Amino acid sequence: MSTAPTPAFETENARLAALADHDAVDLATPHQDLGPHIWLSSQPDSGARLGFAPTEGGFLLRMETAGQSPWVSLSYSLDFATVQSGRYVGLILQVVSDGLFAFRPCLRLLKDEGYRDVFADQHMASSGGAHLLQGHIAIPQDQIADSRGAELHLFFSGDAFEARIERMETVLMR
């Protein structure tokens, strides 16, 4: 299998790869920037406890507890012109986890007034050990015309996890 990045989302994939060189964050703030246009997020004052650490060739995400937060996510901006040119946004992760690690990808289309979330049909999950996770989200063509930007959010499930992300790549399917 080739691990060469795809041309679409090349900048985003380079930013994700650069997380291997980012400083560790023992306790993330409710909005914690990890790099240009990449952030961890949870509801303020909810008791969520997240951590981040670089690893050789990747990064470690740790959630000690989701607290009372209705969402906990790793999110990043997408080039909107690239999103407009496709039918699906895909996601590929090589993950190593000690136990259950699950999330549901979401394409967020930014509007002048608010946003529209489009979720993947399935959660992406690892029951523990090493797994290659793949998923996709249909780009709603009827929503693109009045959108002005796009983000990808990985909304984590459960109350706690620790996962090493060895590869994370966003792809475009036309």
Side-chain angles (χ1 to χ4, degrees), residues 72 104 140 156:
V72 177
R104 191 165 182 202
F156 301 117

Side-chain angles (χ1 to χ4, degrees), residues 15-29 32-36 38 40 50-55 58-62:
R15 287 180 185 143
L16 292 167
L19 290 176
D21 298 321
H22 190 279
D23 292 337
V25 176
D26 290 328
L27 181 61
T29 62
Q32 179 74 53
D33 289 327
L34 296 178
I38 303 172
L40 289 170
L50 294 150
F52 167 90
T55 62
F59 57 93
L60 178 80
L61 285 177
R62 180 184 69 258

Side-chain angles (χ1 to χ4, degrees), residues 16-21 54-59 164-168:
L16 292 167
L19 290 176
D21 298 321
T55 62
E56 187 173 330
F59 57 93
R164 188 172 73 241
I165 312 299
E166 296 179 342
R167 174 183 177 206
M168 185 169 176

Side-chain angles (χ1 to χ4, degrees), residues 70-157:
W71 81 90
V72 177
S73 68
L74 172 66
S75 307
Y76 53 100
S77 298
L78 296 174
D79 179 74
F80 188 56
T82 302
V83 172
Q84 289 174 303
S85 69
R87 293 179 55 210
Y88 299 91
V89 171
L91 188 61
I92 302 168
L93 281 87
Q94 183 67 47
V95 174
V96 179
S97 64
D98 289 335
L100 180 64
F101 172 66
F103 61 92
R104 191 165 182 202
C106 171
L107 174 65
R108 177 166 287 174
L109 297 174
L110 305 175
K111 309 283 188 173
D112 285 334
E113 296 196 18
Y115 57 86
R116 162 114 192 276
D117 283 346
V118 182
F119 286 88
D121 290 337
Q122 304 274 333
H123 282 74
M124 296 172 73
S126 164
S127 58
H131 291 275
L132 178 67
L133 305 177
Q134 301 176 66
H136 65 278
I137 304 167
I139 299 169
Q141 299 304 310
D142 62 333
Q143 295 290 317
I144 290 293
D146 67 343
S147 298
R148 60 173 175 74
E151 300 169 341
L152 192 63
H153 295 262
L154 311 183
F155 287 108
F156 301 117
S157 301

